[in-house]
Amino acid sequence: GQQLNQSPQSMFIQEGEDVSMNCTSSSIFNTWLWYKQDPGEGPVLLIALYKAGELTSNGRLTAQFGITRKDSFLNISASIPSDVGIYFCAGQGGSEKLVFGKGTKLTVNP
Amino acid sequence: EAQVTQNPRYLITVTGKKLTVTCSQNMNHEYMSWYRQDPGLGLRQIYYSMNVEVTDKGDVPEGYKVSRKEKRNFPLILESPSPNQTSLYFCASSTLGVNSGANVLTFGAGSRLTVL
């Protein structure tokens, strides 16, 4: 079945640093989604990408839909303590099924 | 407020004692799905439903049942829970067809289940 490789698995950074994470796949996707999960909560949608090459921002977050349609990245600029959590990518191909990455756990030290 | 509501949020039970985790959404979404989240394994789909009376297996359906009698509700049933079903469970819903059929899920807050 389809699989997403999300990296890194975890990150430990200082407040104010920029963060970059990415997802790659052997399959082509038509939609890429990025979610954040706060401790003890469900994942919340951050950014949705619908076209190859699309670059979309949401505050300090920026995500891109790769030109090959097999990858996507998420950048967080000037991290703050409330950025801590688990970030998930998800890709959708030709059906309704969403394939999730295993997540990137972000820790921000004040 | 548009949301997906799961109950209970926390449950400790014993092996073999049937339980149901309820899920309700107030967004008139056609698509609903259950996931389990385990350390190192990410989110794995258990069952999903494209609409009322239409359900299908996800990647890890063994030991679970679902039903979709009404559009807003999608309960997850564990007929005979076992310790390997100890996990964090999420219900999610979406409306397919908007944005060319993109499946943008809204998640519930999660139900942490422990089976002793």
Side-chain angles (χ1 to χ4, degrees), chain A residues 60-104:
Chain A
R60 294 177 295 105
L61 278 61
T62 302
Q64 184 157 28
F65 191 142
I67 286 290
T68 65
R69 294 166 64 194
K70 292 183 178 181
D71 61 346
S72 178
F73 71 75
L74 175 71
N75 286 344
I76 305 172
S77 63
S79 59
I80 59 178
S82 62
D83 288 334
V84 299
I86 303 176
Y87 293 78
F88 290 100
C89 63
Q92 181 185 3
S95 71
E96 76 291 335
K97 183 177 176 65
L98 270 184
V99 181
F100 282 89
K102 293 185 178 177
T104 296

Side-chain angles (χ1 to χ4, degrees), chain A residues 9 31 33 35 37 40-45 48 50 86 88 92 95-103, chain B residues 9 31 35 37 40-43 45 48 50 59 88 90 96 99 101-109:
Chain A
Q9 196 172 0
T31 301
L33 306 174
Y35 286 87
Q37 183 181 19
E41 299 294 330
V44 173
L45 182 70
Y50 302 108
I86 303 176
F88 290 100
Q92 181 185 3
S95 71
E96 76 291 335
K97 183 177 176 65
L98 270 184
V99 181
F100 282 89
K102 293 185 178 177
Chain B
R9 292 289 313 277
Y31 182 93
Y35 292 85
Q37 183 179 22
L41 297 178
L43 291 161
Q45 190 179 46
Y48 65 97
M50 298 286 282
D59 298 316
L88 180 58
F90 289 102
L96 297 174
N99 280 316
N103 192 2
V104 182
L105 290 172
T106 299
F107 283 85

Side-chain angles (χ1 to χ4, degrees), chain B residues 33-105:
Chain B
S33 183
W34 277 101
Y35 292 85
R36 61 178 288 175
Q37 183 179 22
D38 302 289
L41 297 178
L43 291 161
R44 294 182 292 167
Q45 190 179 46
I46 303 171
Y47 268 95
Y48 65 97
S49 169
M50 298 286 282
N51 214 320
V52 176
E53 301 291 1
V54 181
T55 63
D56 212 341
K57 296 177 181 178
D59 298 316
V60 288
E62 295 77 20
Y64 304 95
K65 283 174 57 177
V66 293
S67 69
R68 188 90 182 273
K69 295 187 171 66
E70 305 164 282
K71 197 172 188 180
R72 65 183 293 127
N73 296 322
F74 190 45
L76 179 69
I77 303 156
L78 285 74
E79 293 271 3
S80 183
S82 62
N84 65 12
Q85 291 179 297
T86 293
S87 188
L88 180 58
Y89 291 87
F90 289 102
C91 181
S93 71
S94 72
T95 178
L96 297 174
V98 177
N99 280 316
S100 302
N103 192 2
V104 182
L105 290 172

Side-chain angles (χ1 to χ4, degrees), chain B residues 7-33:
Chain B
N7 280 296
R9 292 289 313 277
Y10 302 92
L11 179 63
I12 300 174
T13 189
V14 295
T15 299
K17 187 176 181 182
K18 180 180 178 180
L19 68 93
T20 299
V21 186
T22 64
C23 174
S24 180
Q25 50 93 4
N26 61 1
M27 296 167 282
N28 200 35
H29 283 170
E30 298 86 6
Y31 182 93
M32 297 186 75
S33 183

